[in-house]
C-alpha cells in the first residue's frame, strides 16, 4: 500500500433527523465534526413505504400522458 495517498479515516458524529447522534468512522470532515443529515432511514420513502406514489408534476410522465391522452392509455 502506498503511503501518504489515502485520506485520513477518523471518528465523526452523525446527527439523524430525529436528533439522535451516532458515532461513525469516515473520511468526511475532521475528527469530532458533526454531520447533520437531511434524509435518513427514518424519513426516506424507500424505507417508510411512502415511495409508491407518483410525484412527477409537469415532468416527463405528465408530458407523455398529455401527448397521448386521446389514445386511451
Amino acid at each position: 500500500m502506498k503511503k501518504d495517498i489515502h485520506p485520513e479515516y477518523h471518528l465523526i458524529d452523525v446527527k439523524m433527523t430525529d436528533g439522535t447522534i451516532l458515532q461513525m468512522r469516515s473520511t468526511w470532515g475532521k475528527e469530532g465534526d458533526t454531520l447533520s443529515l437531511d434524509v435518513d432511514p427514518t424519513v426516506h420513502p424507500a424505507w417508510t413505504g411512502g415511495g409508491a406514489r407518483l410525484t412527477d408534476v409537469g415532468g416527463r410522465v405528465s408530458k407523455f400522458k398529455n401527448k397521448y391522452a386521446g389514445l386511451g392509455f
Side-chain angles (χ1 to χ4, degrees):
M1 188 162 89
K2 292 183 181 180
K3 294 184 184 279
D4 301 326
I5 65 166
H6 301 286
E8 181 186 342
Y9 197 57
H10 50 269
L11 287 173
I12 64 166
D13 293 328
V14 178
K15 185 176 181 183
M16 307 294 260
T17 56
D18 64 355
T20 58
I21 296 178
L22 303 171
Q23 200 171 46
M24 297 184 179
R25 293 180 55 83
S26 176
T27 58
W28 180 86
K30 294 178 261 184
E31 179 83 25
D33 282 353
T34 301
L35 174 66
S36 296
L37 299 178
D38 294 331
V39 177
D40 64 26
T42 62
V43 297
H44 195 279
W47 288 283
T48 60
R53 65 180 187 271
L54 183 62
T55 58
D56 182 30
V57 178
R60 298 174 97 185
V61 174
S62 298
K63 288 179 185 177
F64 177 84
K65 286 182 177 181
N66 291 337
K67 185 174 182 179
Y68 298 106
L71 298 178
F73 286 119

